[in-house]
C-alpha cells in the first residue's frame, strides 16, 4: 500500500516519494508502512492498513456499524452528491470515511476509529460522525480506551448544516467517555483540518502526531487567500503544534505501537509492589544540625540529581507528555506517565539541569504559566484514570517575566493549589533541590511531602529576603538562618512529613538520595496511601493544610485501612 493505493510488483517495482522525489522499491514501502527510507516522509495509509499496522496480529474485529447513504439536501454541484458518494464507495471499497474495530495493542484492548482520506478527502459528514459516535459508545459499553486516527480535509459541504452538527455530536460522545474515566487518544495524521480538528481530534486525553502531520482549523490556502498573510514554512505541522503546546508528542510510525501500549497500560491502576525497605526520618532529632545557608548552597549544586535523573533511574519507565493546550510547552516542567514498581503513575516535576546550557534551556527550573497548566492537565488526567501523582520540586521560584504576567502566572499557580487540594487520588511530593515560593507550592499540595536531606523550602530566596528586609544582599546567610529553610527545621515545623535518609558516604554529595532509596520511598508511601476512600484522602489532605498557622501542627495520618 503506497499513499493509500495498492501497487503490485507487476504494476511497478519502484515508486517516487512525494516529499523528496527519490525512488523507493515498492516492497520497501510496504515493509515500512509507507515511510520513505531517504527522507522519513510519512505517506498516507488507508484506514485498514492503519489498523493493521497498529493492532496486534489476529486481534482485530471490525465493527460493522451500518450507517447507510445520506443525502439530506439532494445536493448538486458539478455532479449530484449521491453519485460522488457512490463513486467514493466503489473506488475505496468502504461504506464511509471511517473504519471502526475492536483490537488489541500490546495485548491491551481498545477501540480504533481510523479515517481514510481517500474517501472524499476524509470529510466529516453525517455518516462519518455517526461512526465516530458509535465507536465511542462501544468503547463506553466495553469500558476500554478509544483511539481515533483522523485524516480529513474538513466538513462535508454537500450535507450543509447537518455536517456541522457532527462536530457537536462527536464531541458529546467523547465527553461521555471522559465522564466515565475512560482513556481517549488521538493520532493526528496528515492532513487533519476543519471540523474534525475542531472536535474529536483535539479533545482526547492525549494527542499524538506523526512527523510532519498538519492540523488546523483553517487550511493554509484559506488563510493566504483571506488575509493575504505569509505563513511560516512549518505552519500547522506537528513540529509547529508541539512547540506551541497543542499536542503531547510526535511519534514516528515505527514507534507508535510501543507508545500506544504504554498509554493503554495507564487505564489499569495498580498498587506498587514494594521491593526493599527505607526508613524515612520523621523525628527531627534523627537529623544532624545543618547550617541553613550551607543547605542553600547544597540545594543549588548542579551535580545533584534532577527530576529527569530520578525518572530515568528510579522508575520502570516514563512517557513524557507535552503542552498545556493553551499557549505552549514549558521546558522548566516535565511530566507524563510513569511506571513505579509495576504501577502506573502520573509524574510532574521541575527540571533544571547539570550545566549552564541545560539550565538556560530549562529556564533555570522557573516555570511559566504554561508549565503550571501542563502540570494541571496531567493531574486532571490522573484524577480521571484513578492514578496516583508524584511531583518533584526543584525551583528557585516561578518565572517572574513580563510574558509570564501577561499569561496569568498568579492565576495558573492559584488554580493548581485548588486542583491539588481536591484531587481524588494519592499525591506524594518530594523536594529534591530548591523549594522556592509559590512556584514550588504549585506542585506541593500533597498527602505526603518528603524531602531530600540537602534540599530547601522557603517563602522566598535568602537573597531576596535579605534585599527586602535588610536592604543588603550580603545578609543572605543570615536570612537563610532566620527563614529556617533546611530539612531539619522544616520537619520540626511539619511543613514536610519526612526526610529521606542521608547516604552513608556524603563525599561529593549534592543533596540527592540514591535511586533505589527514592524508588522504595515513593512506592512504600504510595502503597500506604492507596486503597482508601478518595473522599477520606481528600479530607485528610485538606486537614493537613488547614492546620498550618492553627494551634496544633499537622501530623501524618494513616489513610489506608
Amino acid at each position: 500500500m503506497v499513499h493509500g493505493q495498492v501497487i503490485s510488483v507487476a504494476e511497478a517495482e519502484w515508486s517516487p516519494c512525494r516529499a523528496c522525489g527519490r525512488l523507493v522499491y515498492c516492497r520497501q514501502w510496504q515493509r515500512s508502512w509507507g515511510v520513505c527510507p531517504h527522507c522519513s516522509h510519512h505517506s498516507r495509509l488507508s484506514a485498514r492498513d492503519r489498523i493493521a499496522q497498529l493492532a496486534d496480529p489476529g486481534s482485530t474485529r471490525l465493527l460493522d456499524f451500518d450507517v447507510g447513504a445520506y443525502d439530506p439536501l439532494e445536493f448538486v454541484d458539478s455532479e449530484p452528491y449521491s453519485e460522488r458518494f457512490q463513486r467514493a464507495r466503489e473506488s475505496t471499497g468502504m461504506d464511509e470515511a471511517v473504519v471502526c474495530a475492536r483490537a488489541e495493542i500490546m495485548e491491551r484492548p481498545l477501540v480504533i476509529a481510523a479515517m481514510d482520506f481517500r474517501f472524499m478527502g476524509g470529510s466529516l459528514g453525517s455518516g462519518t460522525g455517526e461512526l465516530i459516535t458509535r465507536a465511542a459508545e462501544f468503547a463506553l459499553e466495553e469500558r476500554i480506551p478509544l483511539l481515533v486516527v483522523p485524516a480529513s480535509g474538513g466538513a462535508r459541504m454537500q450535507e450543509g448544516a447537518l455536517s456541522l452538527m457532527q462536530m457537536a455530536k462527536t464531541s458529546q460522545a467523547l465527553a461521555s467517555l471522559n465522564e466515565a474515566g475512560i482513556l481517549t487518544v488521538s493520532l493526528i495524521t496528515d492532513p487533519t483540518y476543519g471540523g474534525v480538528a475542531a472536535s474529536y481530534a483535539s479533545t482526547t486525553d492525549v494527542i499524538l502526531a506523526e512527523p510532519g502531520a498538519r492540523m488546523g482549523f483553517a487550511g493554509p490556502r484559506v488563510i493566504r487567500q483571506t488575509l493575504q498573510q505569509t505563513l511560516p514554512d512549518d505552519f500547522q505541522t506537528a513540529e509547529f503544534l508541539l512547540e506551541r503546546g497543542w499536542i503531547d508528542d510526535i511519534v514516528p510510525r515505527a514507534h507508535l505501537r510501543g507508545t500506544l501500549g504504554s498509554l493503554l497500560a495507564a487505564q489499569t491502576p495498580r498498587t506498587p509492589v514494594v521491593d526493599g525497605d527505607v526508613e524515612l526520618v520523621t523525628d527531627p532529632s534523627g537529623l544532624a544540625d545543618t547550617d541553613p545557608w550551607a543547605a542553600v548552597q547544597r540545594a543549588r549544586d548542579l551535580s545533584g540529581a534532577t527530576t529527569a535523573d530520578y525518572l530515568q533511574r528510579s522508575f520502570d519507565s516514563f512517557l513524557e507528555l507535552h503542552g498545556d493546550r493553551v499557549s505552549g510547552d514549558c521546558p522548566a516542567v516535565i511530566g507524563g506517565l510513569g511506571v513505579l514498581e509495576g504501577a502506573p503513575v502520573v509524574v510532574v516535576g521541575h527540571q533544571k539541569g547539570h550545566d549552564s546550557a541545560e539550565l538556560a534551556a530549562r529556564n533555570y527550573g522557573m516555570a511559566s504559566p504554561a508549565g503550571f497548566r501542563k502540570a494541571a492537565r496531567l493531574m486532571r488526567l490522573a484524577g480521571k484514570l484513578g492514578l496516583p501523582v508524584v511531583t518533584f520540586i526543584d525551583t528557585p521560584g516561578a518565572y517572574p517575566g513580563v510574558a509570564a504576567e501577561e499569561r496569568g502566572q498568579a492565576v495558573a499557580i492559584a488554580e493548581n493549589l485548588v486542583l491539588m487540594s481536591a484531587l481524588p487520588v494519592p499525591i506524594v511530593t518530594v523536594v529534591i533541590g530548591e523549594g522556592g515560593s509559590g512556584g514550588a507550592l504549585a506542585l506541593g499540595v500533597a498527602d505526603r511531602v518528603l524531602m531530600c536531606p540537602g534540599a530547601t523550602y522557603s517563602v522566598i530566596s535568602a537573597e531576596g529576603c535579605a534585599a527586602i528586609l535588610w536592604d543588603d544582599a550580603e545578609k543572605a546567610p543570615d536570612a537563610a538562618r532566620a527563614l529556617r529553610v533546611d530539612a531539619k527545621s522544616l520537619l520540626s515545623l511539619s511543613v514536610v512529613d519526612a526526610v529521606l535518609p542521608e547516604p552513608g558516604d556524603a563525599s561529593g554529595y549534592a543533596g540527592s538520595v540514591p535511586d533505589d532509596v527514592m524508588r522504595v520511598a515513593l512506592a512504600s508511601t504510595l502503597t500506604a496511601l492507596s486503597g482508601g476512600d478518595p473522599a477520606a484522602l481528600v479530607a485528610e489532605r485538606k486537614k493537613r493544610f488547614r492546620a498550618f498557622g492553627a494551634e496544633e501542627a499537622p501530623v501524618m495520618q494513616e489513610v489506608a485501612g
Side-chain angles (χ1 to χ4, degrees), residues 83 122 129 245 248 269 273 290 306 345 522:
E83 294 180 10
D248 284 282
V273 178
T290 302
T306 66
V345 297
L522 288 173

Side-chain angles (χ1 to χ4, degrees), residues 335-370:
L337 294 168
V339 177
L340 177 69
E341 296 286 65
V345 297
V346 167
V347 192
V348 182
H350 301 101
Q351 177 65 18
K352 287 183 179 178
H354 292 296
D355 55 44
S356 58
E358 188 179 0
L359 272 175
R362 296 287 183 177
N363 204 29
Y364 300 89
M366 296 186 292
S368 67

Side-chain angles (χ1 to χ4, degrees), residues 298 301-305 502-503 505-512:
R298 192 178 182 188
D301 193 319
L302 295 185
S303 66
E502 186 97 39
D505 178 11
S507 175
Y509 172 66
S512 310

Side-chain angles (χ1 to χ4, degrees), residues 15-56:
S15 178
C17 171
R18 291 185 180 179
C20 68
R22 298 176 70 176
L23 290 175
V24 180
Y25 187 51
C26 287
R27 291 191 184 276
Q28 190 170 7
W29 273 119
Q30 293 162 351
R31 286 194 297 269
S32 67
W33 294 101
V35 177
C36 177
H38 305 298
C39 69
S40 297
H41 171 68
H42 285 51
S43 60
R44 293 172 189 155
L45 290 179
S46 70
R48 284 188 171 84
D49 277 357
R50 175 70 63 181
I51 293 171
Q53 188 252 328
L54 295 175
D56 295 348

